[in-house]
Each structure stands twice: as structure tokens, then as C-alpha cells.
Amino acid sequence: MKITYFFRHPKVGHSIHRVFRTILQELNNSLEIETHDVPNIGSMPIDMIRNNLYTYKKRDQKAIHHVTGHIHDVLLSLIGVKTVLTVHDLVFLDNVKNPFKRFYKWLFWLYLPIKLADKVVCISNQTKNNILKKIDTKKLSVIHNAVDPIFKHTPHDFNEDKPVILHIGTGWNKNLELTIQALNNVSCHLRIIGKISELQTQLLINNHIDFSNESNLTDEQIKQEYINCDIVNFPSKYEGFGMPVIEGQQTGRIVVTSKIEPIIEIANDAVAFVIPNDVNSLRNTYLKIIKNPIFRNNIIEKGLTNAKRFSVETIALKYINLYQDLDKE
């Protein structure tokens, strides 16, 4: 069985490539695999046309074509061949205020792709439920993302005097600003991964936070960041999945994260939950983790168990079953 995967342009972001690379390494043992990156970065009509022309040239009547996310509109060029679409979240629609742009994205990124795809994979029940609020369809199934096997349990002595708090991401939804306020006068080192703005830098200085910052890290470097830290901080306001939660659990670190979907589904009560818009909730949770080793170690043990649900072997098998079902149709 041959599966042809279509990815968005790498300059848009590496997260989808990274998630699927983990799965493809496992699937390569039993499937014939081909991958393509579309040539255009944007989502305007000219980008859609060029990406669809490229996709059409790469289609194969004998293959199953899997559109891995973000470039949903290329399903238009795959009519007549077997197709799978993965939808990660609906942020591309939920964050659009202009009614014309919203209709354009609803039509070409959601409605038509789902109507045209043979099977649609959602990476969480939250994404599935969001789609069902907008479209009536029976094509949806849930297959979670797999955790990269480079993340391994690495025991670590917690630094109670000055723990390293690893904060992943600096976008609007990652809640760095509230984290900074919550850590005012808390003895710690805040390690921030992602490009920080001038406003965020000034906030760090005003709150007297001991911090360091890196961006554009390799997978190996990110793995080392998890190993080096004491707490993984991920108090997001919005997520489509929340892979740092699983990566932190798999490494054996306590994870601070938001009590919102789909993180509740992914974390499985094996994290320290916070209310993402409540500075006291964050602050009190950090202090509890630092001062209470029994609480801390109990959460870490639960996290190691939960991470097994996302092993690459488990997730790859679900995809194989999906492809086999489609191949029989």
C-alpha cells in the first residue's frame, strides 16, 4: 500500500512536519511512503491555485493521498483519488473577524475539504466537536499525535532553591505575560523558548525575573531543554493539542498547564492544572510544586503512565488501520 503525504511549505512552520515525521519513521516499516511540500506559503487565492496545481501533478491513482494539515484546500485537486485529511484545530477560522475572509476560509479550508475527503482525522476530541458544530459529517475519527521517541524518561533532582521553569512558545496563546507576573518574587530561572517581543522583555525586567531565551532550536536541543528543566510551563489560552504536555511527561518533569480542552483530554489529570487567566492560580501552583515534593512526584509518576498512550507504535497502528479500511472501500 502506497501513501502520498502532502505538507504545507516548511517556512509556515515545522510543527506538522515534526509530528508526522515521528509517525512516518514507524510507518515506513510497513508502507510505501512518498512526501511532498507544497510550493506556496500563503493562503490567498493565488497560493491556493499554485498549491493545487502542484498537488494535482503529484497525485497517483494507486495511492492513498494524505493531506497532513493546514493546506486543506489542496483536496480540491485530489477529487477522484482516495484521500485522508488531518485537521489539527480550527484556529484558522475561529480567529478571523472579517466576515468575507471568514467565509472564504470556511468554504475552502473546512467545508469543501471535509466534503471531498474520504476520511478526516482529528487530533483531539475537541477538534472533532468543533468541526461538528459547523458541519454535519460522519467522516471524523480521532487519532492523537505521537510523542517523538527521542523524549525519554530522564530522572532529575528537583532544584527547590531555584528551579528552572521551561516555558514553550511566546505567541498570544502561550500566556507568557501572565507567567511573568505570577513569578514576581518567586526564586526561579525562567527559560523561554521562542522569540520574545520588546514588550515581553520589558515585562520580564519590570518583574525582576531571572530569565534566558532561545529560539530556532533543533529537536535534540529541545529534548535537552526538557532534561535541564525542573518544571515545564504550558498555561495556554488556546491549543489544538498541546504536545509539550506529553513531551514533558515523557521526560519525567512536572507540567503546569491550563484546565481547558483539549489539554484536559491529553493530560489525563497527570499535570498541575491552572486557570489560564488567573495570576494567583499560576503563582500558587508554582509555589506548591516547589514546596511539596510528594505532590510533585505523584504528578510526575502519573505523567509517565499517561505518556504511554501517545507512543509512536500505538499511533502508527491506528493510522495503518485507517488506511487499510480506506483501501478496502
Side-chain angles (χ1 to χ4, degrees):
M1 186 163 41
K2 179 181 177 181
I3 315 295
T4 302
Y5 293 88
F6 292 94
F7 290 90
R8 65 186 181 182
H9 193 289
K11 286 188 178 179
V12 180
H14 292 280
S15 57
I16 293 175
H17 286 77
R18 187 175 167 217
V19 164
F20 271 92
R21 186 184 64 241
T22 301
I23 300 167
L24 295 188
Q25 288 171 350
E26 183 70 20
L27 292 176
N28 199 44
N29 296 323
S30 54
L31 301 173
E32 181 185 351
I33 288 172
E34 188 175 292
T35 64
H36 300 286
D37 297 338
V38 297
N40 276 45
I41 296 173
S43 58
M44 299 305 289
I46 187 62
D47 301 301
M48 184 178 76
I49 291 168
R50 288 176 176 167
N51 286 340
N52 269 275
L53 286 172
Y54 175 85
T55 303
Y56 184 82
K57 291 176 183 177
K58 300 297 182 182
R59 51 188 270 154
D60 180 347
Q61 290 291 337
K62 297 179 180 178
I64 291 173
H65 303 72
H66 189 154
V67 178
T68 58
H70 188 86
I71 49 166
H72 304 171
D73 52 89
V74 301
L75 264 294
L76 294 169
S77 63
L78 295 172
I79 297 170
V81 294
K82 292 182 177 181
T83 53
V84 176
L85 169 66
T86 292
V87 181
H88 296 266
D89 55 51
L90 298 188
V91 68
F92 64 86
L93 190 62
D94 292 340
N95 280 358
V96 178
K97 305 301 180 187
N98 183 299
F100 297 104
K101 287 184 178 178
R102 186 178 175 83
F103 177 75
Y104 170 79
K105 291 203 169 185
W106 175 84
L107 181 63
F108 290 108
W109 283 34
L110 187 65
Y111 181 78
L112 289 176
I114 287 178
K115 290 297 181 183
L116 293 172
D118 293 302
K119 293 187 180 293
V120 179
V121 174
C122 306
I123 64 168
S124 70
N125 283 298
Q126 169 78 357
T127 298
K128 178 182 177 181
N129 293 335
N130 282 350
I131 292 173
L132 290 174
K133 289 175 185 176
K134 296 173 173 63
I135 296 175
D136 182 22
T137 178
K138 299 187 184 300
K139 297 179 181 179
L140 309 184
S141 59
V142 175
I143 301 179
H144 293 133
N145 291 335
V147 64
D148 194 320
I150 68 168
F151 296 97
K152 300 182 186 302
H153 180 207
T154 309
H156 173 78
D157 291 330
F158 190 92
N159 185 344
E160 294 184 356
D161 295 325
K162 193 172 185 179
V164 175
I165 300 177
L166 177 65
H167 185 90
I168 310 289
T170 57
W172 68 269
N173 59 319
K174 303 303 182 183
N175 221 3
L176 176 58
E177 292 79 7
L178 202 71
T179 291
I180 293 167
Q181 295 173 47
L183 289 174
N184 186 294
N185 289 325
V186 175
S187 178
C188 68
H189 177 85
L190 183 59
R191 179 67 167 167
I192 304 166
I193 306 303
K195 188 175 180 181
I196 55 176
S197 67
E198 290 183 16
L199 211 63
Q200 290 168 334
T201 302
Q202 194 57 52
L203 195 61
L204 286 159
I205 293 168
N206 292 346
N207 283 274
H208 312 290
I209 305 296
D210 179 29
F211 76 97
S212 58
N213 173 232
E214 287 288 348
S215 59
N216 300 318
L217 300 184
T218 65
D219 290 347
E220 280 294 327
Q221 288 172 322
I222 288 179
K223 180 187 81 169
Q224 196 58 46
E225 294 290 345
Y226 282 100
I227 292 172
N228 294 343
C229 80
D230 297 286
I231 299 169
V232 174
N233 193 57
F234 200 66
S236 297
K237 299 175 184 177
Y238 180 99
E239 285 295 333
F241 187 78
M243 185 53 76
V245 172
I246 310 304
E247 292 169 345
Q249 289 177 333
Q250 180 73 11
T251 308
R253 300 296 177 267
I254 189 165
V255 179
V256 174
T257 193
S258 301
K259 198 165 190 177
I260 60 171
E261 292 292 1
I263 295 178
I264 295 170
E265 171 190 342
I266 303 307
N268 202 26
D269 204 29
V271 296
F273 276 123
V274 295
I275 301 168
N277 60 351
D278 185 342
V279 67
N280 290 322
S281 175
L282 269 72
R283 180 180 177 82
N284 292 338
T285 300
Y286 299 138
L287 293 174
K288 183 177 182 179
I289 289 169
I290 294 167
K291 296 176 180 178
N292 190 334
I294 295 174
F295 169 75
R296 192 169 64 229
N297 293 330
N298 182 48
I299 295 291
I300 289 171
E301 288 302 317
K302 284 193 202 175
L304 288 167
T305 301
N306 183 59
K308 293 175 183 177
R309 294 195 294 141
F310 305 90
S311 73
V312 66
E313 295 85 3
T314 298
I315 303 305
L317 182 59
K318 291 182 179 181
Y319 271 109
I320 289 172
N321 292 336
L322 181 85
Y323 297 143
Q324 287 176 340
D325 289 344
L326 179 55
D327 194 46
K328 293 172 185 175
E329 293 179 1

